[in-house]
């Protein structure tokens, strides 16, 4: 079954149509530290959260390229709303890697289910009949207030306290307590708060082995659904770049528009656009954003194409891990250049540019986008050093 070469046009068009609403409410989401309810409702009504949900549950069953394109468009209007939309969409995909019984519990009962997640194994599970009792605290759960289910990381232990498995476990959001801990400089609207659970029962069918999943072994029933053959680590890392690309484009557009009339202080230039220095800065920033986009598009297409034929091998996944961090760094560097060009007014509280700067710098520090880790993973592969430093590859 062939995979489409480009994004699903109708979903991208739906995202474009949502931009005015997102722009209208972006400042309020930043102040309130949560994407407004009307924005969440609009994203749901437009089918954005169902982008990667199976068609058999009423979803779009698109692909990673589409998700990235959609979240880039949304990111042009509001980084936080784009991040929440992306996280829910990709974690809905993640939930579909679990056994069929778990999928049915999540989406069969509610086709509009919204799954969020924290991959870090900061929970502990103890074996009980039929499953596990899980206790933990999971921080940085983006979109926490809007979740109906969560997929969180846990170390599952034997009776002798040795670790049996690193896993993701699916839990109804109502069975966890949310603590308001997300007080940050950027991406404030993502409401990435902490979830807490005490002795929550997780049946066996709601457990996904992370080491197995990282090698493309999923406990779901095989079907004619290409999307769910995509590689685990690349899917969960590359999706993070969509909102960042949107933020980069928004910054570039704003600075270019202003340069047409904004004076260049302490010079004879009546407008920035006439300055060779500004011209060089905008060109360099534009090239960095284009570089990030090219890396992202190449990697997402590679993941989508491989979904039909089997998981990517480790060297290919290592390359993608490096590309993800490298692309994120290019976007942050581009935005820094753009703010240098625009000047100190970019940091006024009323300036959209300062929110873009805060959001991009926060998002780019996601653990999955740390450039040094990605480069280490890739460098070891290039040199034939057989040492795994992360399961998220």
């Amino acid at each position: 079954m062939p995979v489409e070469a480009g994004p699903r046009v109708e979903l991208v068009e739906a995202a474009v149509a949502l931009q005015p609403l997102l722009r209208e409410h972006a400042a309020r989401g930043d102040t309130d530290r949560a994407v407004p309810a009307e924005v969440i409702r609009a994203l749901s009504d437009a089918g954005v959260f169902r982008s990667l949900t199976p068609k058999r549950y009423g979803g779009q069953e698109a692909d990673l390229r589409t998700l990235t394109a959609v979240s880039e468009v949304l990111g042009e209007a509001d980084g936080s709303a784009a991040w929440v939309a992306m996280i829910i969409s990709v974690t809905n995909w993640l939930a579909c890697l679990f056994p069929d019984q778990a999928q049915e519990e999540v989406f069969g009962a509610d086709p509009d289910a919204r799954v969020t997640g924290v991959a870090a194994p900061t929970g502990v599970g103890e074996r009980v009949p039929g499953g596990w009792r899980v206790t933990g605290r999971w921080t940085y759960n983006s979109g926490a207030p809007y979740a109906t289910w969560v997929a969180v990381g846990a170390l599952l232990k034997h009776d002798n306290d040795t670790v049996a498995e690193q896993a993701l476990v699916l839990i109804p959001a109502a069975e966890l307590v949310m603590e308001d801990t997300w007080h940050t400089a950027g991406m404030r609207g993502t409401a990435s708060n902490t979830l807490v659970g005490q002795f929550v029962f997780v049946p066996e069918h709601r457990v996904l082995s992370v080491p197995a999943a990282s090698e493309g072994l999923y406990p779901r029933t095989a079907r004619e659904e290409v999307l769910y053959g995509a590689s685990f680590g690349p899917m969960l890392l590359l999706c993070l770049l969509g909102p960042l690309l949107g933020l980069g484009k928004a910054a570039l557009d704003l600075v270019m528009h202003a340069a047409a009339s904004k004076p260049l202080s302490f010079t004879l230039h009546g407008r920035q656009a006439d300055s060779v220095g500004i011209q060089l800065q905008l060109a360099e920033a534009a090239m960095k954003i284009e570089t990030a986009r090219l890396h992202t598009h190449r990697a997402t297409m590679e993941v989508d194409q491989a979904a039909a034929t089997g998981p990517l091998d480790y060297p290919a996944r290592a390359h993608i891990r490096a590309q993800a961090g490298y692309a994120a760094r290019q976007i942050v560097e581009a935005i820094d250049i753009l703010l240098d060009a625009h000047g100190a007014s970019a940091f006024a509280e009323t300036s959209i540019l300062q929110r873009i700067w805060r959001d991009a710098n926060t998002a780019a520090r996601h653990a999955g986008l740390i450039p040094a880790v990605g480069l280490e993973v890739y460098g070891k592969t290039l040199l034939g050093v057989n040492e795994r430093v992360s399961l998220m590859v």
Side-chain angles (χ1 to χ4, degrees):
M1 179 177 177
V3 178
E4 295 175 357
R8 290 268 294 275
V9 174
E10 67 275 15
L11 282 170
V12 177
E13 290 176 344
V16 171
L18 289 170
Q19 285 183 327
L21 179 70
L22 269 60
R23 288 193 176 99
E24 178 186 352
H25 294 288
R28 177 156 67 93
D30 183 68
T31 301
D32 294 347
R33 295 184 302 109
V35 176
E38 50 266 55
V39 173
I40 295 297
R41 185 163 53 249
L43 289 166
S44 180
D45 291 346
V48 172
F49 295 143
R50 297 191 302 275
S51 297
L52 304 187
T53 303
K55 290 179 180 178
R56 56 193 160 91
Y57 291 123
Q60 304 286 348
E61 205 174 310
D63 53 22
L64 178 58
R65 177 71 181 86
T66 297
L67 175 63
T68 306
V70 167
S71 56
E72 178 178 351
V73 169
L74 297 176
E76 293 175 36
D78 179 13
S80 287
W83 191 268
V84 170
M86 173 273 296
I87 287 292
I88 291 175
S89 298
V90 79
T91 317
N92 281 0
W93 170 84
L94 174 64
C96 295
L97 307 184
F98 283 74
D100 294 12
Q101 186 177 351
Q103 297 177 47
E104 189 63 27
E105 287 178 0
V106 175
F107 298 108
D110 178 12
D112 289 315
R114 297 192 291 266
V115 188
T116 62
V118 178
T122 53
V124 174
E126 299 177 349
R127 171 65 80 179
V128 295
W132 304 85
R133 289 281 182 203
V134 177
T135 295
R137 289 177 57 85
W138 296 277
T139 54
Y140 310 131
N141 187 63
S142 298
Y146 324 113
T148 56
W149 286 79
V150 296
V152 290
L155 297 177
L156 306 181
K157 294 192 172 183
H158 294 295
D159 292 339
N160 63 2
D161 207 37
T162 60
V163 175
E165 184 72 271
Q166 179 179 336
L168 286 164
V169 297
L170 270 174
I171 301 174
E175 295 183 15
L176 300 176
V177 174
M178 186 180 74
E179 293 184 358
D180 184 5
T181 57
W182 186 244
H183 298 267
T184 58
M187 283 290 180
R188 291 162 53 83
T190 62
S192 302
N193 291 306
T194 298
L195 298 178
V196 182
Q198 291 285 335
F199 306 114
V200 179
F201 176 66
V202 178
E204 198 68 60
H205 65 270
R206 284 202 252 124
V207 174
L208 180 73
S209 166
V210 173
S214 69
E215 297 300 327
L217 301 175
Y218 309 140
R220 68 189 311 275
T221 298
R223 291 187 176 87
E224 290 292 324
E225 296 173 332
V226 171
L227 174 62
Y228 309 104
S231 296
F232 182 77
M235 280 288 293
L236 298 180
L237 296 177
L238 290 172
C239 63
L240 305 173
L241 293 172
L244 276 165
L245 286 168
L247 288 165
K249 184 177 187 302
L252 180 62
D253 289 347
L254 284 167
V255 174
M256 286 195 303
H257 178 77
S261 58
K262 189 177 188 292
L264 185 58
S265 298
F266 297 168
T267 75
L268 298 179
H269 292 301
R271 59 181 201 146
Q272 289 183 329
D274 296 326
S275 164
V276 173
I278 297 294
Q279 294 163 7
L280 292 173
Q281 285 178 303
L282 265 63
E284 183 179 4
M287 291 298 292
K288 284 181 174 292
I289 294 168
E290 184 178 1
T291 296
R293 183 173 289 109
L294 289 169
H295 275 291
T296 303
H297 288 186
R298 173 183 170 180
T300 54
M301 288 181 65
E302 186 178 357
V303 172
D304 287 337
Q305 290 168 358
T309 58
L312 295 165
D313 61 20
Y314 186 81
R317 303 197 314 266
H319 185 209
I320 287 172
R321 176 73 190 252
Q323 286 179 297
Y326 186 81
R329 184 169 62 186
Q330 295 300 306
I331 296 166
V332 169
E333 290 178 356
I335 292 173
D336 283 347
I337 293 168
L338 291 167
L339 268 68
D340 285 345
H342 190 76
S345 63
F347 295 93
E349 288 187 354
T350 55
S351 171
I352 297 173
L353 281 170
Q354 56 83 21
R355 188 174 68 242
I356 290 173
W357 177 73
R358 290 187 287 111
D359 285 350
N361 275 275
T362 301
R365 269 64 182 192
H366 187 285
L369 295 177
I370 297 173
V373 175
L375 293 174
E376 179 186 359
V377 168
Y378 185 42
K380 287 182 187 301
T381 302
L382 291 175
L383 294 170
V385 177
N386 187 23
E387 179 185 359
R388 303 286 180 101
V389 299
S390 173
L391 288 174
M392 296 300 291
V393 176

